[in-house]
Amino acid sequence: KAGVTQTPRYLIKTRGQQVTLSCSPISGHRSVSWYQQTPGQGLQFLFEYFSETQRNKGNFPGRFSGRQFSNSRSEMNVSTLELGDSALYLCASNTQGQGETQYFGPGTRLLVL
Amino acid sequence: EDQVTQSPEALRLQEGESSSLNCSYTVSGLRGLFWYRQDPGKGPEFLFTLYSAGEEKEKERLKATLTKKESFLHITAPKPEDSATYLCAVQPPAWGSQGNLIFGKGTKLSVKP
């Protein structure tokens, strides 16, 4: 079974630009979560999508948004990039029901200059 | 506020020197506790899920245990390839927390030959 894929793996942007990251979950999984990982804050939850609907959102500004398509692929967008947005962005593909487990992709490393 | 605290932050072991990593949490109505391994520049790799106090899970040299307030990851006779950051995460009660795992900052383990 193929794992979670994330594209691109690396990105360099400048302040003020916007960026879109993509995630393809494990086949059959309908829930996707996004996290931001930085050395200082660790992993912080951004949002979760299930069947194209955002069910949960973390404490991030409105510049961070996402969506999910009918094939469960998900994208997240960050507008008006700031230096502090430099981080590893991780997507997790989630099982549902009893014994929910999150399986992570390799991440997208974003550097904002 | 739900919190997860891992200790120590870093641990250096000699090959074959067994030890334990600690994860303490303050979450009411815990639905699950997860252990992940993360190598530099990669996404977290799922290791174990624990659901109730007294539960234990094993995989090769790793053994995870759970009490009402904390979990331990025991590493028996570690090898250099066990070097990684070990992350603990908890899953709060279902309502309002879909897809959201609360992570600790991790324990960085180094095993020297």
Side-chain angles (χ1 to χ4, degrees):
Chain A
K1 210 174 198 183
V4 182
T5 57
Q6 290 188 246
T7 57
R9 293 294 312 280
Y10 304 94
L11 266 179
I12 299 176
K13 293 286 186 178
T14 56
R15 279 180 298 173
Q17 288 187 309
Q18 76 165 16
V19 67
T20 299
L21 312 181
S22 180
C23 169
S24 292
I26 294 169
S27 178
H29 289 189
R30 294 161 63 191
S31 169
V32 172
S33 296
W34 287 90
Y35 293 84
Q36 180 195 67
Q37 186 176 30
T38 59
Q41 299 298 318
L43 276 97
Q44 293 186 289
F45 173 73
L46 283 158
F47 28 67
E48 186 260 1
Y49 285 86
F50 177 81
S51 293
E52 302 179 65
T53 300
Q54 185 183 91
R55 293 195 300 183
N56 197 6
K57 190 177 190 303
N59 295 324
F60 278 82
R63 300 185 296 106
F64 292 81
S65 63
R67 59 178 176 168
Q68 188 179 32
F69 302 93
S70 58
N71 62 356
S72 294
R73 189 178 70 87
S74 178
E75 289 182 347
M76 67 162 282
N77 183 276
V78 188
S79 62
T80 318
L81 284 166
E82 300 177 0
L83 296 179
D85 296 333
S86 294
L88 181 66
Y89 289 89
L90 292 161
C91 165
S93 177
N94 310 329
T95 63
Q96 294 293 290
Q98 186 73 16
E100 295 177 31
T101 301
Q102 296 193 359
Y103 297 93
F104 285 84
T108 295
R109 172 74 63 184
L110 172 65
L111 177 62
V112 182
L113 301 175
Chain B
E1 183 184 338
D2 297 335
Q3 279 194 318
V4 178
T5 304
Q6 291 188 247
S7 62
E9 290 185 14
L11 181 62
R12 286 185 158 189
L13 298 174
Q14 287 295 127
E15 184 172 1
E17 180 187 1
S18 301
S19 188
S20 296
L21 313 183
N22 177 264
C23 170
S24 62
Y25 59 91
T26 56
V27 174
S28 301
L30 179 77
R31 279 199 296 155
L33 185 140
F34 301 80
W35 283 98
Y36 288 87
R37 168 193 170 127
Q38 187 174 26
D39 293 298
K42 297 187 176 181
E45 174 190 349
F46 171 73
L47 293 173
F48 304 109
T49 309
L50 301 167
Y51 294 105
S52 55
E55 189 175 0
E56 298 182 351
K57 294 260 179 90
E58 284 189 70
K59 180 180 179 180
E60 297 180 355
R61 295 177 292 281
L62 300 176
K63 179 180 176 180
T65 62
L66 180 64
T67 71
K68 286 187 177 179
K69 292 295 181 186
E70 57 190 350
S71 176
F72 294 93
L73 184 65
H74 308 277
I75 304 178
T76 303
K79 298 181 178 182
E81 54 262 41
D82 294 322
S83 297
T85 295
Y86 290 85
L87 297 167
C88 170
V90 298
Q91 188 172 36
W95 188 82
S97 69
Q98 294 93 336
N100 177 11
L101 294 184
I102 301 172
F103 280 85
K105 295 288 179 68
T107 293
K108 185 174 182 180
L109 174 67
S110 298
V111 182
K112 302 299 181 185

